[in-house]
Structures are given as structure tokens and as C-alpha cells.
Amino acid sequence: MPYVELRHSSGARLEVYLHGAHVTSWKNSGGREMFFVSKKSFFRPDTPIRGGIPVIFPQFGDGPLPKHGFARISEWTFLGAESAADGCLEAKFELRHSQESIKIWPHQFRLELVFRLGIDVLEIVFSVHNAGLSEFTFKNGLHTYFAAGDITGTNLEGLDGCKFIDFLSDPRPCLETRKNIDFACETDRVYPMAPDRLLLRHGAEGDAVIIEKQDMRDVVVWNPWIEKSMRMDDFGDDEYKNMVCVETGNLHENLTLLPGKTHISSSRFLKIAAGRGQ
Ligand code: TA6
């Protein structure tokens, strides 16, 4: 399957498959792989790649469309790459409505993803354009699989005081009271209207990633843990130990887009040195 590789002068690397405009690798300037991709992932037209950054549109979760929408199993068009004034390398991909998409989702649209690769930073700008004559509603987001050396040493900071809905139990909103969310069991929950800056830390002295978002209201946190891992045929039974999904997007409630309008949102991941994530 064709993919694009961006090579930044700092040594940073990004790999994006045209299938789903799916990022499968982000290496920082020191060569560290920041994302997780399952060793058992399929790479085939009708299936999303398991790991990296699955692109969510126009549906999140289950519903009338393929789970998490059709964007991640569609063939995107690479529009080119260039150096930006701030020293980042930019690669642009688009997906437009088609006869196939119209059959299952009767709206004309144009999606654009711009990946901006810097020394220790990756920014993704997600544009949704309504190319039709009537409004439509959608959800969109980035289902990012961050690499974790050992999930038991990983924690996520910044959601304390937020409401969340636990997809695994009672749908009524709960209050997150933990300053640092750690992982010791299956975790699958949405934090609507979450703060725009989180810190994902791997171990007390481990590396950390600052996760920022703009006009992406919500955060979903997911780790399948062992039972669900064993039920996934494109995921190793013990791979839950090496990943955590911190998903950013408009995932909880639909957005409405008027004809001719464009919604732009973004996420930015900044790797910071070990120990600075205090
Ligand atoms: O984002 C969390 C979630 O909805 C989980 O419930 C789990 O199903 C995960 O997405 C992966 O979904 P996928 O369709 O990629 O297997």
C-alpha cells in the first residue's frame, strides 16, 4: 500500500499511508518512535490500520456507517509536501465525496488533513468543508495510539475535575478526581469539553508528550487491557502493555456544518525531554 515519508532535517520522520491518510510512524529528532502500531495490523483496503492515527469522520463509534466512519478506510489523495516558514515540513492530503460515499452518506464534502512535522512536534490540521447545498452533521477526530514502554508506568495529567462518561459501565456522567490517570484495567471513556492541554507521561523519569487541541472539544481515553486484546484479531494479546489511545476530536456530540462552510480543528503533540514532564 502506498505511503508518503516525510524526512525533516532534524532527523524527525513521519509515515502516512494514502489508505485513510493514516499515520503509522512518527519518529522524533532522536529517532524515538512515538506511536504504536500493532504487529498484527492488517494492511488491506477494507480495514483500518491498527495503530498510529486512525482518522475519524463522519461518525464516532458504532452507528449506520462503518465504525468510526469511512474516512479511515478510504483512499485519500496526497496533494504534496513543502517546507513551511517555521521550519516544519508540511504534507497535505484530501478526501472528497464519491459515488460510493454518497450511497452511504448522502452529503458532498471535502476533507483536508495537513501534517506538520517539526523537530519534536507533530501538528495535524483537520478541515471539513461542506461542498453541498444542505447542512450536514458530523463527528471528527484523531484516534491516536501513543507508544507506551510499559502501560503500568504511564499516566495522563490534565483531566482532573472534568466530567466523563464511561463506555464500559453506567452512561451517566461521572467526575474525574485523579490528577494523574493511570492504567490498570480496560479503560474506555469520553471527557466532553476537555481542557485543550494534557500531559501524557511515561514513568517518573520517562519521556512525556504534551497533547494540545484546538476546536476539538472532546478527549477519549482507551486501553483495551487483556480480555479485549484477546478478542481483537489485529492486536496482540499483550500489546495493551505498550500503547494508550488519547483521542482528540469532536466525538461526543455532532457538529452541524452549513452549505459552503468549513470547520477547521487541530491537534499538536510535543515531545518533551525525560523528567521535564513534572
Ligand atoms: O475510541 C475508543 C473505541 O471506541 C473503543 O471502544 C474501541 O472499540 C476502539 O475505539 C477501537 O475501535 P476500532 O473500531 O478501531 O477497533
Side-chain angles (χ1 to χ4, degrees):
M1 297 174 82
Y3 66 88
V4 170
E5 183 180 38
L6 285 185
R7 299 185 176 186
H8 190 271
S9 56
S10 66
R13 293 280 187 276
L14 190 75
E15 192 177 84
V16 189
Y17 277 78
L18 298 192
H19 180 58
H22 199 123
V23 172
T24 51
S25 174
W26 168 35
K27 290 189 172 76
N28 77 327
S29 57
R32 173 186 290 271
E33 177 57 66
M34 304 300 292
F35 291 154
F36 164 89
V37 174
S38 172
K39 294 181 179 59
K40 297 179 69 178
S41 177
F42 301 120
F43 284 79
R44 59 186 196 207
D46 61 345
T47 306
I49 295 167
R50 174 67 66 188
I53 310 181
V55 175
I56 308 293
F57 180 86
Q59 171 185 295
F60 177 71
D62 294 313
L65 298 174
K67 186 173 175 191
H68 291 332
F70 50 74
R72 66 175 183 168
I73 53 175
S74 298
E75 300 317 302
W76 289 56
T77 303
F78 173 51
L79 297 181
E82 58 185 4
S83 293
D86 63 359
C88 286
L89 268 183
E90 290 187 352
K92 194 176 288 187
F93 296 79
E94 78 169 7
L95 179 69
R96 294 175 181 265
H97 61 275
S98 63
Q99 288 180 349
E100 293 73 31
S101 71
I102 293 272
K103 285 177 193 160
I104 58 173
W105 197 64
H107 304 292
Q108 298 180 355
F109 67 88
R110 177 182 181 272
L111 303 184
E112 182 179 277
L113 280 170
V114 179
F115 297 99
R116 306 186 72 253
L117 177 68
I119 295 178
D120 280 335
V121 61
L122 173 62
E123 181 179 25
I124 303 113
V125 183
F126 195 148
S127 301
V128 181
H129 177 70
N130 183 343
L133 299 176
S134 57
E135 70 179 37
F136 61 64
T137 62
F138 69 96
K139 292 176 181 168
N140 74 316
L142 303 169
H143 195 299
T144 309
Y145 287 69
F146 290 94
D150 168 7
I151 190 63
T152 60
T154 293
N155 62 71
L156 181 65
E157 180 182 339
L159 291 167
D160 50 324
C162 296
K163 291 275 177 58
F164 69 88
I165 293 166
D166 190 334
F167 293 134
L168 302 172
S169 63
D170 188 330
R172 284 172 301 179
C174 300
L175 181 67
E176 182 57 73
T177 56
R178 294 173 294 175
K179 180 175 184 306
N180 289 302
I181 295 169
D182 58 4
F183 300 89
C185 61
E186 183 177 357
T187 304
D188 192 355
R189 48 182 58 181
V190 60
Y191 293 81
M193 309 304 278
D196 285 343
R197 193 172 194 272
L198 303 175
L199 180 65
L200 181 64
R201 188 190 286 112
H202 300 300
E205 288 308 309
D207 284 341
V209 181
I210 295 172
I211 298 169
E212 295 176 339
K213 61 183 178 67
Q214 190 167 354
D215 297 314
M216 290 186 169
R217 294 176 303 189
D218 316 313
V219 166
V220 169
V221 181
W222 177 58
N223 185 290
W225 218 251
I226 186 158
E227 284 75 23
K228 181 150 189 179
S229 297
M230 292 172 77
R231 297 197 300 271
M232 294 157 64
D233 57 4
D234 61 348
F235 193 86
D237 291 357
D238 62 357
E239 286 189 315
Y240 70 93
K241 298 175 182 172
N242 305 118
M243 53 67 69
V244 60
C245 280
V246 181
E247 304 155 42
T248 48
N250 299 291
L251 305 170
H252 182 55
E253 292 181 341
N254 279 326
L255 293 180
T256 297
L257 197 56
L258 297 176
K261 296 298 183 186
T262 302
H263 178 274
I264 300 176
S265 59
S266 63
S267 289
R268 182 173 180 269
F269 309 134
L270 175 64
K271 179 201 170 295
I272 57 178
R276 274 190 55 210
Q278 307 309 324

